[in-house]
Amino acid sequence: MKHYRIFARAAILLLLIFIASCAKPAFVVKEPDAVPSEEVARPPEAARPFFAPKVDRYAIGCVLPLSGPYAELGGKALDAILLSAEIFDERNKSLWKVIARDSRGLPDDTKAAIEHLANADNVIAIIAVSGTAEALDAAREAERLQVPLILITSREGVTLASEYVFQHFLTPTQQVRAVVSYALKNMNSAIFSALYPDDDYGEEMMKIFREEVARVGGRLEKAIPY
């Protein structure tokens, strides 16, 4: 739970950039629910300009997989966000209003949830936990709706899709570069061996590792799948 609270607190801190006043309104926490996929078809003119008068600057949207195969992860992330926002602090009224929507881990549901939060719930910004499959769609939807999106995903290049997207996660390239850099600078070693899982994830990480070792002038002695 500590790790979820850490990234949730960091996400909340990023949202403070967009807050301009300090009054404390009443807060609500809506029950997470799935948004019908047909809402995705709303025409482009429904996009709102950022900081339009209707925007509730204390409402934070959350797009999480609260049902489906990743429901446990989504539920833990929601718990962390609520704790970070101090929703359950009985002594001090929270500054935040948290509105959660269920993405079910699906691209269409993720886009629909972002649109509903931006245009119906009028949130100031959205925190989304996303898999690699739906991450780019989420970023493009944030750009269309002009809503700040803190995207927790390992997908490479999502911030290139929109100036409204802030990625809060280490990408595979960042992780590999950190390992190779540590070996070179701290261990004075440029010769590597790798043991990697024989699946799509392992193959992708191995590809990035090979490229990074070659980029720094190192040598990959062995690479063994398992």
Side-chain angles (χ1 to χ4, degrees):
M1 180 62 73
K2 279 186 177 180
H3 298 295
Y4 290 107
R5 293 191 66 178
I6 288 171
F7 77 65
R9 283 189 179 276
I12 293 294
L13 286 174
L14 286 173
L15 289 175
L16 290 174
I17 298 171
F18 304 102
I19 303 302
S21 63
C22 299
K24 290 189 175 183
F27 69 88
V28 297
V29 180
K30 289 187 177 180
E31 289 294 326
D33 58 351
V35 180
S37 58
E38 56 266 21
E39 287 195 32
V40 178
R42 188 175 297 176
E45 57 268 26
R48 59 164 196 185
F50 183 48
F51 278 137
K54 68 176 182 177
V55 173
D56 183 349
R57 63 182 66 244
Y58 294 100
I60 304 168
C62 301
V63 178
L64 307 167
L66 298 169
S67 62
Y70 306 108
E72 183 178 358
L73 172 62
K76 289 181 177 179
L78 179 58
D79 288 343
I81 291 167
L82 294 175
L83 286 171
S84 297
E86 299 181 342
I87 294 295
F88 305 115
D89 188 342
E90 295 180 355
R91 292 174 297 179
N92 302 297
K93 292 295 183 181
S94 175
L95 175 70
W96 305 104
K97 179 167 59 179
V98 177
I99 305 171
R101 297 278 171 186
D102 187 6
S103 69
R104 297 193 293 176
L106 301 174
D108 285 347
D109 288 66
T110 297
K111 290 166 60 180
I114 290 172
E115 182 171 12
H116 198 281
L117 287 166
N119 286 337
D121 296 316
N122 303 321
V123 299
I124 189 171
I126 297 170
I127 302 169
V129 173
S130 166
T132 55
E134 66 271 20
L136 195 56
D137 286 334
R140 289 169 176 161
E141 193 70 357
E143 173 68 19
R144 184 180 76 83
L145 297 167
Q146 300 180 28
V147 58
L149 175 66
I150 297 173
L151 194 55
I152 302 172
T153 182
S154 62
R155 174 71 180 263
E156 302 271 3
V158 291
T159 56
L160 300 177
S162 171
E163 62 181 3
Y164 290 89
V165 175
F166 304 85
Q167 187 169 14
H168 188 61
F169 205 89
L170 288 174
T171 65
T173 297
Q174 290 171 323
Q175 295 176 58
V176 168
R177 286 186 175 177
V179 170
V180 174
S181 176
Y182 182 87
L184 288 173
K185 295 177 181 178
N186 296 75
M187 304 180 69
N188 196 31
S189 175
I191 301 175
F192 300 88
S193 294
L195 184 66
Y196 64 96
D198 190 12
D199 55 23
D200 290 344
Y201 174 78
E203 292 288 347
E204 178 64 20
M205 292 296 287
M206 195 63 239
K207 175 178 177 292
I208 296 171
F209 189 75
R210 288 180 188 277
E211 292 173 351
E212 182 62 15
V213 170
R215 188 184 72 84
V216 300
R219 185 172 83 248
L220 183 62
E221 192 76 12
K222 290 183 179 180
I224 302 173
Y226 65 88

